[in-house]
Amino acid sequence: MHPDISSPSAPIEAKQGESLSPHFGGKLPGLLLAAGIAAVATLAHHLPGFGLFSPMILAILIGIAFHNSVGTSAKARAGVTFAMRPLLRFAIILLGFQISAQQIADVGASALLVIALSLGATFLFTSWLGKRLGVAPALTQLIAAGTSICGASAVIATNMVTRARDEDVAYAVACVTIFGSVAMLVYPLLPGMLGLDPHGYGLWAGASIHEIAQVIAAGFQDGQAAGEFATIAKLSRVLLLAPMVMAIGLWSARQAKRGGANVDSEAPRSKAPVPWFALGFIAMVGVNSLMPLPQSAHQALVTVTGFLLATALAAMGLETDIRKLKAEGVRPFLLGLAAFLFIAGFSLFLVKLVA
């Protein structure tokens, strides 16, 4: 497992004779490369046939393709690392501006209960099954978070406290992309068969589909009312990202202490790491609730946040070796499939229960 390269004392590999400057100039080549890939992914998202996939998903795929065909130079490594750590934390904080207390109140207590129970049960089920299947604990947590909370954003946020290998992050993102896309295409065919009205269908989609872009696409297929409620339900689910990341950090620290060493193979931690970016996320939700931005500024911030997240995902792609992904085998894929089926079935049961 790689060291915490956000730490000033962590070693950074470099070829002999090359220097990875701690200053911004040394980070610029890698940042420009990751941002360029994010820009290409953002443009590709608007092309026919690519709109089904968010720029974040396209960015990591392009990054992986670039790294495994052209290769990522040592000169770019410092900037890629910066995009994967501080830049990513900042983007997650900005995500808080997309949620307000009023939106959560509009969902209603029963719907919030459906969302929270679906999230918690899915995370626990996936963690339990991952252990039974023999999937690595860090990868299991990433798949559990991505499935239960909000897709790629949850995967990369959770990795801030689990510090899994970059290949594990890429694998988890691939899982939530595949199964979230399946849900996006299949869900719109089911409301009539399942007897769901627009409110019930929107809640089901928002409580169980992985990515917010996938939720929007699936929700509006059943009409304006279903699409709007699905979006609000999904944003309410995203709000649970911060407390879940904190809980995962506590659990990871406890497991590391029991094992006698932390993830960096040093002395065991006496306390859990504080995910300050998660607290910042909650703070921005509060700011957005008390002092909402004008619509034009809010939309601009949403665009910037999406681009920063795509840049971080591109950086992860630039660190991902496809051969190591293949070495994971089929078990993590089966875990992602089981998690997807569980959240779809369990959330549907709860939606029917409160209808």
Side-chain angles (χ1 to χ4, degrees), residues 276-323:
W276 296 109
F277 68 93
L279 299 178
F281 174 91
I282 294 174
M284 292 307 101
V285 173
V287 170
N288 188 44
S289 302
L290 297 173
M291 298 179 293
L293 295 172
Q295 182 60 33
S296 57
H298 181 269
Q299 187 55 48
L301 191 58
V302 169
T303 302
V304 169
T305 303
F307 184 78
L308 292 177
L309 288 171
T311 300
L313 264 292
M316 288 185 180
L318 292 170
E319 289 284 302
T320 301
D321 190 332
I322 198 71
R323 292 169 299 180

Side-chain angles (χ1 to χ4, degrees), residues 1 172 185 192 209 238 277 297 311 313:
M1 197 171 292
L185 297 172
I209 298 180
V238 173
F277 68 93
T311 300
L313 264 292

Side-chain angles (χ1 to χ4, degrees), residues 40-53 58:
V40 171
T42 301
L43 293 173
H45 171 69
H46 297 286
L47 297 176
F50 288 92
L52 297 176
F53 304 101
L58 295 173

Side-chain angles (χ1 to χ4, degrees), residues 20 36 40 47 61 92 105 126 133 142 152 161 172 183 200 215 226 253 256 278 313 323 325 328 338 340 342:
L20 295 179
V40 171
L47 297 176
L61 293 176
I92 293 171
T126 308
L133 292 175
L142 295 181
V161 292
V215 170
L313 264 292
R323 292 169 299 180
L325 281 178
E328 296 286 356
F340 159 58
F342 180 88

Side-chain angles (χ1 to χ4, degrees), residues 69-80:
S69 57
V70 179
T72 306
S73 70
K75 185 183 295 186
R77 190 173 294 125
V80 168

